[in-house]
Amino acid sequence: MDTVTRRRFLLTSGVVGAGALAAGAGAYRLRDLLDTAGDRDPQSQTLVLVTLYGGNDGLNTVIPYGDPAYQTARPELAYPDNEVRRLDDDFGLNPALEGLHQRWSSGGLAIVRGVGYPKPDRSHFRSMDIWHTAQPDRPGNTGWLGRWLDRTGGDPRLAVSFEPVLPPLLAGERSAGAAVPVTGRKATKGLPAETLKAFETAEPGDSTTRARAAACFADLRSVDDMIRQVRDSADPDTAEPDGEQAPATATGGARTPLDAQLDLVAQCVEAGVSTRVFSVSLGGFDTHADEKQLQAVLLGQLDRALTGFADRMSRTEAGRKVVVAVYSEFGRRVRANASDGTDHGTASDVLLLGAGVRGGWHGAPPSLTELDDGDLKYTTDFRDVYATLLERVLGTDPGPVLADWRGRVDKLF
């Protein structure tokens, strides 16, 4: 996906037809979701999927600080044991994950280790296609949650993405979820309008220089208003030269901050809308160089968004029926590269939060020395995670959705 836009990704990956994607992507707004308030079974649960686009470095997220092979493989990139947020005597969280560390301590965070699939692919494009379709052995043309949507009646409002373009995972054979645009969220709070007006108005007796400054400020405000009007009125299909709304990075991720996306999810959950699945994302994790600082910034954004959302959800009955799953298309290679970064790898961890989640470790950690061509060998098939979420959160038989896949993550709930 380095040179392929999100929309081209959707179409060239073969995931459903352009008509179904367009129907899901352009037909709904937030008010259409809120119109379904009160329509859902109050006992039903909600799944929130958080995609970390770009391939997050799992070894510097859940850090095997107690393994000497970790320091040996990445001497400049590794975190010393006195910096990690310890989970036990062998593993700890990235220093930026303060809130998630607190949730671990209270039993509210589950970590599924070594998640991947057979014959891994290190391409962003193909790997995300595999995660979205849940079909690692052959190119798929429907998303796993799109297939679930086909079986639940096909109402797009049941599966919603707060991303610029509908992700393939919500595209089914006969139906597609809804991509609801996030606009005007979390804008930086500026000065009051009356203050700005005062800045651009010259007062009697002002010096020539001060009057000129006020006029310049008024001109800037006029230009800003004009740009805002053009932006807000632009057709999303013509906003970019290739018809694409540019994502946060070449490897995907919504442009709107994750906390703003999760704020909308929270509003919908609290209102009791019919939506059972929400998809949100954060991009920028393709850290081939100078990784440590950039990843820490991104993980800090993730931590604040997730913990704020989880705290908010804990206050209501509907919120306590929400399960959050966080994943990335692959991890990074065990050994650091020459640019203080890491290259595309394979297996990584899936994080889960929610009142019904059994906190702690799930699955076996992959070895840092018994590698597959320099990469971690997966220990948990990602379809085990999907099947468990379908069965325990969405209350459906995973068989028809995942081609009769039988694996599960034991005791996750």
Side-chain angles (χ1 to χ4, degrees):
M1 285 177 62
D2 292 323
T3 58
V4 182
T5 66
R6 288 290 296 282
R7 182 162 299 173
R8 287 179 187 148
F9 169 44
L10 293 172
L11 297 180
T12 59
S13 64
V15 179
V16 86
L21 290 174
Y28 293 91
R29 295 293 184 268
L30 180 61
R31 62 177 176 270
D32 297 308
L33 305 184
L34 296 177
D35 284 343
T36 70
D39 289 352
R40 67 179 295 165
D41 179 353
Q43 300 306 312
S44 64
Q45 293 180 279
T46 302
L47 174 63
V48 179
L49 280 181
V50 181
T51 304
L52 307 181
Y53 283 104
N56 178 46
D57 182 4
L59 290 177
N60 268 15
T61 302
V62 181
I63 301 170
Y65 74 92
D67 190 335
Y70 168 68
Q71 297 285 345
T72 301
R74 39 176 75 186
E76 301 298 325
L77 192 59
Y79 283 93
D81 58 4
N82 64 337
E83 291 186 13
V84 303
R85 298 187 181 275
R86 296 192 180 202
L87 303 175
D88 57 28
D89 291 338
D90 297 306
F91 292 88
L93 291 180
N94 187 286
L97 298 175
E98 178 182 5
L100 290 182
H101 183 252
Q102 293 174 358
R103 298 199 73 79
W104 171 275
S105 300
S106 63
L109 172 66
I111 301 177
V112 186
R113 300 185 281 192
V115 181
Y117 53 86
K119 299 179 181 179
D121 194 302
R122 298 187 188 96
S123 159
H124 292 292
F125 181 92
R126 178 65 183 131
S127 295
M128 193 52 73
D129 188 14
I130 289 170
W131 276 88
H132 280 216
T133 64
Q135 295 172 318
D137 52 342
R138 59 185 175 84
N141 59 7
T142 57
W144 69 283
L145 287 170
R147 297 193 292 273
W148 166 81
L149 185 63
D150 282 341
R151 294 178 54 80
T152 56
D155 185 340
R157 293 171 295 182
L158 291 174
V160 170
S161 169
F162 287 125
E163 300 168 271
V165 178
L166 188 76
L169 67 94
L170 300 185
E173 181 179 357
R174 300 181 302 277
S175 55
V180 176
V182 182
T183 57
R185 308 299 304 172
K186 295 288 184 180
T188 301
K189 187 175 181 179
L191 295 171
E194 58 270 18
T195 303
L196 295 175
K197 186 67 176 177
F199 283 156
E200 68 181 38
T201 304
E203 297 290 337
D206 280 348
S207 66
T208 302
T209 303
R210 184 161 182 166
R212 185 180 301 121
C216 289
F217 189 83
D219 289 342
L220 287 174
R221 286 251 289 161
S222 297
V223 171
D224 183 61
D225 289 342
M226 179 185 69
I227 292 173
R228 185 182 298 110
Q229 291 168 13
V230 171
R231 181 197 64 202
D232 292 346
S233 63
D235 183 340
D237 289 332
T238 60
E240 294 291 333
D242 60 1
E244 169 67 5
Q245 284 192 333
T249 68
T251 51
R255 289 178 297 183
T256 308
L258 180 59
D259 56 354
Q261 298 172 66
L262 289 175
D263 175 65
L264 290 183
V265 174
Q267 290 185 47
C268 290
V269 171
E270 291 163 351
V273 303
S274 62
T275 308
R276 298 289 309 282
V277 175
F278 292 95
S279 174
V280 297
S281 67
L282 178 64
F285 288 92
D286 198 17
T287 50
H288 289 279
D290 300 322
E291 173 187 310
K292 206 168 187 178
Q293 183 176 0
L294 172 59
Q295 190 199 26
V297 170
L298 292 170
L299 291 180
Q301 294 174 8
L302 175 69
D303 185 74
R304 289 187 293 274
L306 286 180
T307 54
F309 177 76
D311 288 344
R312 181 173 174 178
M313 290 296 91
S314 69
R315 301 182 194 124
T316 64
E317 187 65 27
R320 288 189 286 273
K321 292 183 172 62
V322 172
V323 172
V324 181
V326 185
Y327 75 100
S328 193
E329 69 259 42
F330 46 62
R332 315 296 288 191
R333 290 178 72 81
V334 175
R335 187 168 297 278
N337 60 30
S339 301
D340 291 329
T342 50
D343 297 324
H344 301 174
T346 53
S348 191
D349 301 309
V350 172
L351 311 181
L352 294 107
L353 301 88
V357 171
R358 188 186 301 273
W361 299 113
H362 299 271
S367 170
L368 298 188
T369 54
E370 296 180 13
L371 303 176
D372 180 10
D373 190 25
D375 281 325
L376 299 174
K377 296 179 180 179
Y378 80 98
T379 59
T380 302
D381 195 293
F382 76 118
R383 288 165 291 186
D384 293 356
V385 179
Y386 284 178
T388 306
L389 293 174
L390 285 165
E391 190 171 76
R392 299 301 302 273
V393 180
L394 297 181
T396 193
D397 178 7
V401 177
L402 299 177
D404 291 324
W405 186 258
R406 299 300 178 186
R408 303 290 188 274
V409 180
D410 292 335
K411 300 180 180 179
L412 185 56
F413 292 94

mmCIF file of all heavy atoms in Angstrom, residues 113-120 131 136 345-349 363-367 370-372 375-384 405:
data_model
loop_
_atom_site.group_PDB
_atom_site.id
_atom_site.type_symbol
_atom_site.label_atom_id
_atom_site.label_comp_id
_atom_site.label_asym_id
_atom_site.label_seq_id
_atom_site.Cartn_x
_atom_site.Cartn_y
_atom_site.Cartn_z
ATOM 1 N N ARG A 113 -0.867 -13.267 22.253
ATOM 2 C CA ARG A 113 0.508 -13.195 21.785
ATOM 3 C C ARG A 113 0.737 -13.977 20.494
ATOM 4 O O ARG A 113 0.052 -14.958 20.216
ATOM 5 C CB ARG A 113 1.444 -13.705 22.878
ATOM 6 C CG ARG A 113 1.329 -12.882 24.142
ATOM 7 C CD ARG A 113 2.334 -13.285 25.189
ATOM 8 N NE ARG A 113 1.942 -14.490 25.901
ATOM 9 C CZ ARG A 113 2.540 -14.925 27.019
ATOM 10 N NH1 ARG A 113 3.543 -14.243 27.515
ATOM 11 N NH2 ARG A 113 2.134 -16.022 27.607
ATOM 12 N N GLY A 114 1.703 -13.501 19.715
ATOM 13 C CA GLY A 114 2.160 -14.228 18.536
ATOM 14 C C GLY A 114 1.097 -14.445 17.488
ATOM 15 O O GLY A 114 1.043 -15.511 16.860
ATOM 16 N N VAL A 115 0.252 -13.460 17.238
ATOM 17 C CA VAL A 115 -0.858 -13.635 16.300
ATOM 18 C C VAL A 115 -0.361 -13.434 14.865
ATOM 19 O O VAL A 115 0.314 -12.448 14.548
ATOM 20 C CB VAL A 115 -1.991 -12.643 16.613
ATOM 21 C CG1 VAL A 115 -3.157 -12.858 15.647
ATOM 22 C CG2 VAL A 115 -2.463 -12.805 18.054
ATOM 23 N N GLY A 116 -0.706 -14.360 14.001
ATOM 24 C CA GLY A 116 -0.303 -14.276 12.594
ATOM 25 C C GLY A 116 -1.034 -15.316 11.776
ATOM 26 O O GLY A 116 -2.134 -15.746 12.145
ATOM 27 N N TYR A 117 -0.408 -15.782 10.684
ATOM 28 C CA TYR A 117 -1.050 -16.751 9.800
ATOM 29 C C TYR A 117 0.029 -17.472 9.000
ATOM 30 O O TYR A 117 1.173 -17.010 8.913
ATOM 31 C CB TYR A 117 -2.051 -16.056 8.865
ATOM 32 C CG TYR A 117 -1.473 -14.891 8.092
ATOM 33 C CD1 TYR A 117 -0.815 -15.081 6.882
ATOM 34 C CD2 TYR A 117 -1.574 -13.593 8.584
ATOM 35 C CE1 TYR A 117 -0.271 -14.017 6.181
ATOM 36 C CE2 TYR A 117 -1.033 -12.519 7.892
ATOM 37 C CZ TYR A 117 -0.385 -12.739 6.684
ATOM 38 O OH TYR A 117 0.156 -11.680 6.001
ATOM 39 N N PRO A 118 -0.311 -18.631 8.404
ATOM 40 C CA PRO A 118 0.688 -19.384 7.643
ATOM 41 C C PRO A 118 1.192 -18.612 6.429
ATOM 42 O O PRO A 118 0.473 -17.806 5.844
ATOM 43 C CB PRO A 118 -0.080 -20.641 7.204
ATOM 44 C CG PRO A 118 -1.269 -20.705 8.100
ATOM 45 C CD PRO A 118 -1.612 -19.299 8.456
ATOM 46 N N LYS A 119 2.432 -18.867 6.063
ATOM 47 C CA LYS A 119 3.051 -18.263 4.886
ATOM 48 C C LYS A 119 2.819 -16.754 4.855
ATOM 49 O O LYS A 119 2.158 -16.216 3.961
ATOM 50 C CB LYS A 119 2.507 -18.903 3.611
ATOM 51 C CG LYS A 119 2.798 -20.400 3.515
ATOM 52 C CD LYS A 119 2.224 -21.003 2.234
ATOM 53 C CE LYS A 119 2.504 -22.511 2.162
ATOM 54 N NZ LYS A 119 1.926 -23.111 0.931
ATOM 55 N N PRO A 120 3.346 -16.034 5.835
ATOM 56 C CA PRO A 120 3.080 -14.594 5.947
ATOM 57 C C PRO A 120 3.589 -13.811 4.746
ATOM 58 O O PRO A 120 4.551 -14.205 4.073
ATOM 59 C CB PRO A 120 3.826 -14.196 7.226
ATOM 60 C CG PRO A 120 4.879 -15.243 7.392
ATOM 61 C CD PRO A 120 4.283 -16.511 6.872
ATOM 62 N N TRP A 131 -5.836 -9.790 6.444
ATOM 63 C CA TRP A 131 -6.493 -9.505 7.724
ATOM 64 C C TRP A 131 -7.954 -9.096 7.512
ATOM 65 O O TRP A 131 -8.820 -9.444 8.309
ATOM 66 C CB TRP A 131 -5.749 -8.397 8.463
ATOM 67 C CG TRP A 131 -4.584 -8.886 9.253
ATOM 68 C CD1 TRP A 131 -3.294 -9.047 8.830
ATOM 69 C CD2 TRP A 131 -4.593 -9.292 10.629
ATOM 70 N NE1 TRP A 131 -2.509 -9.519 9.847
ATOM 71 C CE2 TRP A 131 -3.278 -9.674 10.964
ATOM 72 C CE3 TRP A 131 -5.579 -9.349 11.607
ATOM 73 C CZ2 TRP A 131 -2.929 -10.124 12.241
ATOM 74 C CZ3 TRP A 131 -5.231 -9.792 12.878
ATOM 75 C CH2 TRP A 131 -3.917 -10.176 13.186
ATOM 76 N N PRO A 136 -6.100 -16.192 4.264
ATOM 77 C CA PRO A 136 -4.673 -16.096 3.965
ATOM 78 C C PRO A 136 -4.195 -16.993 2.831
ATOM 79 O O PRO A 136 -3.130 -16.750 2.253
ATOM 80 C CB PRO A 136 -4.018 -16.529 5.289
ATOM 81 C CG PRO A 136 -5.028 -17.384 5.959
ATOM 82 C CD PRO A 136 -6.358 -16.818 5.569
ATOM 83 N N GLY A 345 7.731 -7.308 9.210
ATOM 84 C CA GLY A 345 7.898 -8.619 9.816
ATOM 85 C C GLY A 345 6.644 -9.454 9.716
ATOM 86 O O GLY A 345 5.922 -9.405 8.710
ATOM 87 N N THR A 346 6.356 -10.204 10.780
ATOM 88 C CA THR A 346 5.236 -11.150 10.713
ATOM 89 C C THR A 346 4.362 -11.032 11.968
ATOM 90 O O THR A 346 3.628 -10.071 12.121
ATOM 91 C CB THR A 346 5.752 -12.583 10.553
ATOM 92 O OG1 THR A 346 6.716 -12.867 11.589
ATOM 93 C CG2 THR A 346 6.450 -12.758 9.201
ATOM 94 N N ALA A 347 4.466 -12.015 12.865
ATOM 95 C CA ALA A 347 3.535 -12.125 13.990
ATOM 96 C C ALA A 347 3.669 -10.954 14.965
ATOM 97 O O ALA A 347 4.734 -10.366 15.115
ATOM 98 C CB ALA A 347 3.763 -13.438 14.724
ATOM 99 N N SER A 348 2.564 -10.640 15.625
ATOM 100 C CA SER A 348 2.547 -9.577 16.631
ATOM 101 C C SER A 348 1.440 -9.889 17.634
ATOM 102 O O SER A 348 0.907 -11.000 17.653
ATOM 103 C CB SER A 348 2.332 -8.207 15.974
ATOM 104 O OG SER A 348 2.562 -7.169 16.904
ATOM 105 N N ASP A 349 1.108 -8.915 18.465
ATOM 106 C CA ASP A 349 0.098 -9.121 19.504
ATOM 107 C C ASP A 349 -1.212 -8.430 19.140
ATOM 108 O O ASP A 349 -1.218 -7.424 18.427
ATOM 109 C CB ASP A 349 0.588 -8.554 20.842
ATOM 110 C CG ASP A 349 1.887 -9.193 21.301
ATOM 111 O OD1 ASP A 349 1.955 -10.431 21.322
ATOM 112 O OD2 ASP A 349 2.835 -8.450 21.617
ATOM 113 N N GLY A 363 -2.330 -17.238 24.760
ATOM 114 C CA GLY A 363 -1.435 -17.726 23.724
ATOM 115 C C GLY A 363 0.012 -17.708 24.181
ATOM 116 O O GLY A 363 0.371 -17.096 25.183
ATOM 117 N N ALA A 364 0.849 -18.374 23.404
ATOM 118 C CA ALA A 364 2.263 -18.511 23.753
ATOM 119 C C ALA A 364 3.099 -17.429 23.074
ATOM 120 O O ALA A 364 2.859 -17.084 21.910
ATOM 121 C CB ALA A 364 2.768 -19.888 23.322
ATOM 122 N N PRO A 365 4.104 -16.892 23.776
ATOM 123 C CA PRO A 365 4.974 -15.903 23.141
ATOM 124 C C PRO A 365 5.901 -16.579 22.134
ATOM 125 O O PRO A 365 6.444 -17.655 22.407
ATOM 126 C CB PRO A 365 5.770 -15.329 24.322
ATOM 127 C CG PRO A 365 5.801 -16.439 25.321
ATOM 128 C CD PRO A 365 4.485 -17.163 25.178
ATOM 129 N N PRO A 366 6.103 -15.990 20.962
ATOM 130 C CA PRO A 366 7.027 -16.582 19.990
ATOM 131 C C PRO A 366 8.476 -16.434 20.444
ATOM 132 O O PRO A 366 8.819 -15.498 21.169
ATOM 133 C CB PRO A 366 6.764 -15.776 18.715
ATOM 134 C CG PRO A 366 6.162 -14.496 19.177
ATOM 135 C CD PRO A 366 5.444 -14.781 20.448
ATOM 136 N N SER A 367 9.308 -17.360 20.020
ATOM 137 C CA SER A 367 10.724 -17.335 20.365
ATOM 138 C C SER A 367 11.449 -16.238 19.588
ATOM 139 O O SER A 367 11.145 -15.981 18.416
ATOM 140 C CB SER A 367 11.365 -18.688 20.047
ATOM 141 O OG SER A 367 12.773 -18.625 20.153
ATOM 142 N N GLU A 370 14.382 -18.853 17.677
ATOM 143 C CA GLU A 370 13.938 -19.832 16.676
ATOM 144 C C GLU A 370 13.050 -19.101 15.673
ATOM 145 O O GLU A 370 11.820 -19.035 15.826
ATOM 146 C CB GLU A 370 13.183 -20.978 17.349
ATOM 147 C CG GLU A 370 14.041 -21.789 18.301
ATOM 148 C CD GLU A 370 13.259 -22.911 18.959
ATOM 149 O OE1 GLU A 370 12.134 -23.205 18.480
ATOM 150 O OE2 GLU A 370 13.749 -23.475 19.937
ATOM 151 N N LEU A 371 13.699 -18.541 14.650
ATOM 152 C CA LEU A 371 13.016 -17.629 13.732
ATOM 153 C C LEU A 371 12.776 -18.267 12.370
ATOM 154 O O LEU A 371 13.382 -19.289 12.022
ATOM 155 C CB LEU A 371 13.841 -16.354 13.567
ATOM 156 C CG LEU A 371 14.168 -15.588 14.857
ATOM 157 C CD1 LEU A 371 15.066 -14.400 14.551
ATOM 158 C CD2 LEU A 371 12.891 -15.146 15.558
ATOM 159 N N ASP A 372 11.912 -17.654 11.616
ATOM 160 C CA ASP A 372 11.640 -18.038 10.233
ATOM 161 C C ASP A 372 12.227 -16.962 9.334
ATOM 162 O O ASP A 372 11.620 -15.912 9.129
ATOM 163 C CB ASP A 372 10.127 -18.163 10.012
ATOM 164 C CG ASP A 372 9.766 -18.556 8.586
ATOM 165 O OD1 ASP A 372 10.678 -18.914 7.814
ATOM 166 O OD2 ASP A 372 8.563 -18.486 8.243
ATOM 167 N N ASP A 375 12.256 -13.762 11.075
ATOM 168 C CA ASP A 375 10.957 -13.302 11.568
ATOM 169 C C ASP A 375 10.419 -14.221 12.648
ATOM 170 O O ASP A 375 10.760 -15.414 12.723
ATOM 171 C CB ASP A 375 9.932 -13.245 10.430
ATOM 172 C CG ASP A 375 10.089 -12.005 9.573
ATOM 173 O OD1 ASP A 375 10.431 -10.953 10.137
ATOM 174 O OD2 ASP A 375 9.887 -12.103 8.350
ATOM 175 N N LEU A 376 9.537 -13.672 13.472
ATOM 176 C CA LEU A 376 8.856 -14.463 14.489
ATOM 177 C C LEU A 376 7.937 -15.501 13.846
ATOM 178 O O LEU A 376 7.297 -15.238 12.824
ATOM 179 C CB LEU A 376 8.019 -13.555 15.394
ATOM 180 C CG LEU A 376 8.769 -12.486 16.198
ATOM 181 C CD1 LEU A 376 7.762 -11.595 16.909
ATOM 182 C CD2 LEU A 376 9.724 -13.118 17.189
ATOM 183 N N LYS A 377 7.858 -16.674 14.452
ATOM 184 C CA LYS A 377 6.901 -17.689 14.025
ATOM 185 C C LYS A 377 5.604 -17.488 14.815
ATOM 186 O O LYS A 377 5.638 -17.407 16.042
ATOM 187 C CB LYS A 377 7.451 -19.089 14.295
ATOM 188 C CG LYS A 377 8.707 -19.431 13.506
ATOM 189 C CD LYS A 377 9.194 -20.841 13.855
ATOM 190 C CE LYS A 377 10.448 -21.199 13.079
ATOM 191 N NZ LYS A 377 10.947 -22.561 13.436
ATOM 192 N N TYR A 378 4.513 -17.404 14.121
ATOM 193 C CA TYR A 378 3.262 -17.151 14.823
ATOM 194 C C TYR A 378 2.892 -18.346 15.691
ATOM 195 O O TYR A 378 3.207 -19.497 15.376
ATOM 196 C CB TYR A 378 2.154 -16.811 13.828
ATOM 197 C CG TYR A 378 1.521 -17.996 13.132
ATOM 198 C CD1 TYR A 378 0.310 -18.525 13.588
ATOM 199 C CD2 TYR A 378 2.114 -18.584 12.012
ATOM 200 C CE1 TYR A 378 -0.287 -19.597 12.962
ATOM 201 C CE2 TYR A 378 1.524 -19.659 11.371
ATOM 202 C CZ TYR A 378 0.330 -20.163 11.844
ATOM 203 O OH TYR A 378 -0.257 -21.239 11.226
ATOM 204 N N THR A 379 2.222 -18.064 16.796
ATOM 205 C CA THR A 379 1.762 -19.113 17.711
ATOM 206 C C THR A 379 0.242 -19.150 17.818
ATOM 207 O O THR A 379 -0.315 -20.125 18.328
ATOM 208 C CB THR A 379 2.361 -18.904 19.118
ATOM 209 O OG1 THR A 379 1.969 -17.605 19.608
ATOM 210 C CG2 THR A 379 3.882 -18.991 19.083
ATOM 211 N N THR A 380 -0.430 -18.094 17.393
ATOM 212 C CA THR A 380 -1.900 -18.019 17.417
ATOM 213 C C THR A 380 -2.376 -17.578 16.045
ATOM 214 O O THR A 380 -1.951 -16.532 15.551
ATOM 215 C CB THR A 380 -2.399 -17.013 18.471
ATOM 216 O OG1 THR A 380 -1.920 -17.389 19.766
ATOM 217 C CG2 THR A 380 -3.925 -16.961 18.493
ATOM 218 N N ASP A 381 -3.239 -18.368 15.425
ATOM 219 C CA ASP A 381 -3.786 -17.974 14.126
ATOM 220 C C ASP A 381 -4.794 -16.847 14.333
ATOM 221 O O ASP A 381 -5.634 -16.905 15.231
ATOM 222 C CB ASP A 381 -4.478 -19.166 13.453
ATOM 223 C CG ASP A 381 -4.749 -18.925 11.979
ATOM 224 O OD1 ASP A 381 -5.593 -18.036 11.663
ATOM 225 O OD2 ASP A 381 -4.149 -19.602 11.128
ATOM 226 N N PHE A 382 -4.712 -15.805 13.503
ATOM 227 C CA PHE A 382 -5.601 -14.654 13.689
ATOM 228 C C PHE A 382 -7.067 -15.024 13.535
ATOM 229 O O PHE A 382 -7.951 -14.366 14.087
ATOM 230 C CB PHE A 382 -5.214 -13.521 12.726
ATOM 231 C CG PHE A 382 -5.638 -13.707 11.291
ATOM 232 C CD1 PHE A 382 -6.517 -12.815 10.696
ATOM 233 C CD2 PHE A 382 -5.147 -14.744 10.514
ATOM 234 C CE1 PHE A 382 -6.909 -12.961 9.370
ATOM 235 C CE2 PHE A 382 -5.517 -14.888 9.189
ATOM 236 C CZ PHE A 382 -6.406 -14.000 8.613
ATOM 237 N N ARG A 383 -7.346 -16.114 12.830
ATOM 238 C CA ARG A 383 -8.737 -16.550 12.699
ATOM 239 C C ARG A 383 -9.276 -17.103 14.024
ATOM 240 O O ARG A 383 -10.492 -17.100 14.242
ATOM 241 C CB ARG A 383 -8.850 -17.583 11.575
ATOM 242 C CG ARG A 383 -8.688 -16.963 10.186
ATOM 243 C CD ARG A 383 -8.447 -17.996 9.119
ATOM 244 N NE ARG A 383 -7.131 -18.625 9.279
ATOM 245 C CZ ARG A 383 -6.601 -19.493 8.416
ATOM 246 N NH1 ARG A 383 -7.291 -19.838 7.331
ATOM 247 N NH2 ARG A 383 -5.397 -20.006 8.624
ATOM 248 N N ASP A 384 -8.377 -17.567 14.906
ATOM 249 C CA ASP A 384 -8.820 -17.952 16.248
ATOM 250 C C ASP A 384 -9.413 -16.744 16.980
ATOM 251 O O ASP A 384 -10.420 -16.860 17.687
ATOM 252 C CB ASP A 384 -7.645 -18.496 17.061
ATOM 253 C CG ASP A 384 -7.106 -19.823 16.539
ATOM 254 O OD1 ASP A 384 -7.688 -20.373 15.583
ATOM 255 O OD2 ASP A 384 -6.099 -20.297 17.085
ATOM 256 N N TRP A 405 -13.880 -22.518 10.266
ATOM 257 C CA TRP A 405 -12.685 -22.478 11.113
ATOM 258 C C TRP A 405 -13.046 -22.905 12.531
ATOM 259 O O TRP A 405 -14.023 -22.432 13.098
ATOM 260 C CB TRP A 405 -12.096 -21.068 11.116
ATOM 261 C CG TRP A 405 -10.792 -20.992 11.837
ATOM 262 C CD1 TRP A 405 -10.555 -20.525 13.098
ATOM 263 C CD2 TRP A 405 -9.527 -21.430 11.341
ATOM 264 N NE1 TRP A 405 -9.239 -20.640 13.415
ATOM 265 C CE2 TRP A 405 -8.570 -21.186 12.358
ATOM 266 C CE3 TRP A 405 -9.101 -21.998 10.137
ATOM 267 C CZ2 TRP A 405 -7.213 -21.499 12.201
ATOM 268 C CZ3 TRP A 405 -7.759 -22.302 9.976
ATOM 269 C CH2 TRP A 405 -6.829 -22.050 10.990
#
